[in-house]
Amino acid sequence: KATCHNKNLINCFDFHPEENTTVKNNGNMRTGVGLLFWVITGLDFVVCVLQVFNDPIHGHMELHPLLVKIIDTPQFQRLRNIKQLGGAYFVYPGASHNRFEHSIGVAHLAGQLGQALKTKQPGLNITNRDILCVQIAGLCHDLGHGPFSHLFDAMFIPRARPDMREWKHETASLAMFDHLVESNGLEVVMEQYGLIPSEDLTFIKEMIHTDNNNDQESPQWPYEGRTEDKSFLYEIVSNKENGIDVDKFDYFARDCYHLGVQINFDYRRFLKFARVCEVDGRKHICVRDKEEDNMTEMFHTRLCLHRRAYQHKVTKIIETMITDAFLKADSVENNESTITIYKAIDGKTESTEKKTFRLSKAIDDMEAYTKLTDAVFEQILNSTSEGLKDARHILRRIITRKLYRFLGETRLDDPTEIKKLDTIKMDYGMKREDPIDHLYFYSKHNTTRAFKRKRCQVSRIRPTCFSERLVRFVCKKTDLKADPKADPRAEFKKWCKAKGFPEYQVIFINKLLNI
């Protein structure tokens, strides 16, 4: 496949992707099988040959050469070493996949959905430039994840940096994306492929994350990258309207595949039946009314994955232990877990100074953060530093399966009943609300009018409660019988009885029991 930005010259080349192709570019010979790309200088166009990636979830994925340029950077390659499911790999042996392949999958699906809407509705004026920007946003949306993914920003940073409790990986994704573009000189490459960096970089970052809350509900258009007539583009990668986006499409399918869990939701049907309709002056992505059950299954899949894997009691215990180890390592200056970089002084590469960052401080410098991956686990585990003795001991307990002991769990009917406790949240994605109530449908009789389901139209066998909170208890001692005077299980039962909570067997409160 080849595209040319100068139609007068498009017939100058005859491409046969199935044949070997050799091209001379600036004196360099490059040989491939129709999968390489090159920039011909001195002419008014860029030849694009899509590169094929073989994926176990989506099959053969064809990616634009600009996406390949981004993939081939240290900032993106870093995602090869960050587990998608964090500590779940210690529970599910197949959950070894990383953020790297997930991000490529999201870029692929973003392109598929964008192209499907463009083909079905030419009046939307979706350009190839729009689709490429959406794909870049999908590719780069997880650049900011730290070691073991959500463990880092949800469990470690809030305790290591109380002043940064609101810090999320999306915030780091924006900073890392800026660092990626600047350090690799990609603005020039983007221009060569028809993008306008002054507009499109803003658009891409707005799709990755925005600090504005309820952007879509604002009476005034809150974005700068694209005008309001293309509001639907902001719902492809990260949908704040109802949570249905290609990010979830990929990680649901990918996580279920690697966990060995059956999935009933079929994202391909959404791609087939998605259309854009106008609602109150704004355009939204809608789906056929007959797809209600399929979309309900999507949100149920989310809940099942949280119950069976993401919030699995042993997964959370192991992630608590990793967090405790990281906190102990973080409190020691200049140890084997610190990140060392060499910064240029006054912009002169030949003059550098050595700078070290503790784990919790690496988020302040993207060059240091680029070096922070899951490998820090092994660095601590194999260290010989006396200062890392306590952290090393905790990680060795994980390896030898001497885990914190699970005592039990209780369910909270009202999350405000108890404060200063870490609770486990289980829901369908919209807290206490039914996410289907936020989804727009259209019918085959009128594909331009969007509507929401009325409560009287919803099946009576659908659930009426969509969220719950759990409190789990663990003991950091492995042998509960070692001290006959201390009975953690009895303490747990006594606590539940005093609070009027029922006893269930299921996570934890950090340091609830000081034993």
Side-chain angles (χ1 to χ4, degrees):
K1 292 184 178 180
T3 61
C4 176
H5 299 298
N6 188 328
K7 294 183 178 179
N8 296 325
L9 297 175
I10 196 167
N11 295 321
C12 294
F13 297 89
D14 185 20
F15 293 97
H16 301 281
E18 71 279 3
E19 300 175 2
N20 286 339
T21 306
T22 304
V23 176
K24 185 173 182 179
N25 178 25
N26 295 334
N28 296 320
M29 302 300 290
R30 303 185 65 181
T31 303
V33 287
L35 305 180
L36 298 177
F37 71 92
W38 52 93
V39 176
I40 301 182
T41 59
L43 298 177
D44 188 25
F45 66 92
V46 176
V47 176
C48 304
V49 180
L50 305 185
Q51 184 160 327
V52 177
F53 290 72
N54 192 13
D55 182 67
I57 308 302
H58 308 301
H60 293 89
M61 306 181 297
E62 296 180 331
L63 297 186
H64 189 282
L66 179 55
L67 300 180
V68 180
K69 276 283 190 181
I70 294 173
I71 291 172
D72 294 338
T73 62
Q75 293 76 22
F76 191 88
Q77 291 292 319
R78 163 183 180 270
L79 298 181
R80 288 184 183 272
N81 301 308
I82 295 180
K83 287 286 181 291
Q84 173 82 6
L85 298 187
Y89 182 41
F90 290 95
V91 180
Y92 289 87
S96 59
H97 56 303
N98 302 301
R99 290 281 162 184
F100 179 84
E101 50 266 38
H102 163 64
S103 298
I104 295 176
V106 174
H108 167 70
L109 292 182
Q112 281 201 325
L113 180 53
Q115 192 61 49
L117 295 175
K118 178 183 178 181
T119 302
K120 285 185 287 190
Q121 298 176 266
L124 295 174
N125 297 319
I126 301 175
T127 65
N128 290 336
R129 177 181 153 208
D130 292 332
I131 295 177
L132 183 55
C133 287
V134 172
Q135 286 189 284
I136 294 173
L139 188 67
C140 299
H141 78 286
D142 273 348
L143 285 176
H145 268 296
F148 296 94
S149 291
H150 291 289
L151 176 155
F152 191 78
D153 63 333
M155 300 176 69
F156 173 70
I157 289 297
R159 295 174 62 187
R161 300 277 300 270
D163 59 315
M164 301 283 285
R165 292 188 68 87
E166 300 303 317
W167 183 88
K168 299 296 180 185
H169 75 270
E170 293 91 349
T171 307
S173 291
L174 296 180
M176 185 65 80
F177 179 70
D178 286 336
H179 177 57
L180 182 153
V181 172
E182 181 181 356
S183 61
N184 295 281
L186 290 185
E187 280 198 34
V188 175
V189 180
M190 290 178 174
E191 289 179 345
Q192 291 172 343
Y193 285 105
L195 298 189
I196 304 175
S198 59
E199 298 176 8
D200 293 334
L201 287 176
T202 299
F203 177 42
I204 292 167
K205 291 196 289 184
E206 287 173 341
M207 287 187 288
I208 293 174
H209 179 63
T210 178
D211 292 330
N212 298 327
N213 295 321
N214 301 320
D215 293 318
Q216 297 291 339
E217 299 178 2
S218 173
Q220 294 185 342
W221 183 239
Y223 300 117
E224 299 177 3
R226 288 297 184 272
T227 53
E228 192 169 1
D229 64 314
K230 292 190 175 181
S231 56
F232 59 91
L233 293 176
Y234 289 90
E235 299 177 0
I236 294 178
V237 175
S238 179
N239 191 342
K240 298 178 178 62
E241 185 72 24
N242 51 43
I244 299 174
D245 50 53
V246 296
D247 178 25
K248 292 182 180 64
F249 293 171
D250 183 85
Y251 81 70
F252 286 166
R254 195 173 300 278
D255 291 354
C256 286
Y257 175 85
H258 288 280
L259 289 168
V261 174
Q262 184 66 38
I263 182 172
N264 294 322
F265 167 66
D266 185 0
Y267 72 84
R268 295 175 183 84
R269 289 188 64 86
F270 183 89
L271 298 181
K272 179 67 70 176
F273 292 105
R275 287 186 67 88
V276 173
C277 301
E278 187 169 321
V279 182
D280 297 329
R282 242 171 232 181
K283 295 177 180 177
H284 296 280
I285 298 177
C286 310
V287 70
R288 267 289 299 277
D289 48 2
K290 68 175 183 177
E291 290 303 297
E292 180 182 348
D293 288 341
N294 189 37
M295 303 318 299
T296 300
E297 195 61 46
M298 188 200 90
F299 293 110
H300 186 254
T301 297
R302 180 187 186 277
L303 177 64
C304 290
L305 284 171
H306 273 271
R307 280 179 169 168
R308 299 178 66 175
Y310 308 156
Q311 309 290 359
H312 186 284
K313 61 181 182 181
V314 180
T315 296
K316 298 307 292 185
I317 285 176
I318 289 174
E319 290 186 345
T320 301
M321 295 179 73
I322 295 174
T323 301
D324 288 346
F326 283 1
L327 288 169
K328 290 185 179 297
D330 191 60
S331 64
V332 181
E333 293 285 354
N334 297 323
N335 61 71
E336 294 172 48
S337 71
T338 56
I339 308 299
T340 302
I341 62 173
Y342 293 88
K343 303 280 287 188
I345 302 176
D346 299 328
K348 299 178 180 179
T349 55
E350 65 273 10
S351 179
T352 61
E353 61 176 341
K354 180 180 179 181
K355 299 190 70 174
T356 60
F357 295 83
R358 291 185 296 168
L359 300 182
S360 62
K361 296 293 184 179
I363 62 176
D364 298 329
D365 188 291
M366 287 301 106
E367 189 174 341
Y369 197 49
T370 302
K371 297 184 177 183
L372 184 57
T373 66
D374 291 1
V376 69
F377 183 101
E378 300 293 334
Q379 291 171 3
I380 296 173
L381 182 65
N382 299 322
S383 66
T384 57
S385 169
E386 182 64 25
L388 293 178
K389 179 180 179 181
D390 292 340
R392 188 166 56 244
H393 174 69
I394 295 174
L395 297 186
R396 283 178 177 171
R397 285 183 60 178
I398 295 175
I399 298 300
T400 57
R401 216 62 179 180
K402 297 177 181 178
L403 308 178
Y404 296 166
R405 294 296 300 272
F406 173 74
L407 302 179
E409 80 175 7
T410 186
R411 185 172 288 110
L412 304 179
D413 294 329
D414 182 2
T416 63
E417 289 178 313
I418 193 166
K419 297 180 179 179
K420 296 183 180 180
L421 293 180
D422 295 326
T423 60
I424 299 299
K425 303 173 186 177
M426 302 278 193
D427 58 50
Y428 275 66
M430 300 291 289
K431 298 183 179 179
R432 293 190 169 191
E433 300 181 39
D434 183 353
I436 297 298
D437 291 341
H438 297 264
L439 179 58
Y440 288 106
F441 296 95
Y442 70 88
S443 70
K444 69 176 181 179
H445 303 293
N446 190 345
T447 59
T448 61
R449 187 181 72 86
F451 60 90
K452 290 184 178 180
R453 286 291 195 196
K454 296 180 180 178
R455 181 51 56 182
C456 61
Q457 296 174 316
V458 176
S459 172
R460 293 183 179 180
I461 61 174
R462 283 264 301 279
T464 56
C465 180
F466 300 93
S467 69
E468 66 178 4
R469 289 203 181 194
L470 306 174
V471 179
R472 292 176 180 168
F473 297 77
V474 298
C475 176
K476 294 188 176 182
K477 285 186 176 180
T478 55
D479 186 3
L480 301 184
K481 299 180 181 179
D483 185 359
K485 295 182 179 180
D487 187 356
R489 290 192 179 94
E491 292 295 324
F492 162 63
K493 293 180 180 179
K494 186 188 301 184
W495 185 87
C496 289
K497 186 175 181 180
K499 297 292 183 180
F501 297 145
E503 298 173 24
Y504 297 95
Q505 192 199 349
V506 202
I507 206 172
F508 65 88
I509 302 175
N510 290 333
K511 300 181 181 178
L512 174 71
L513 301 173
N514 236 349
I515 54 177

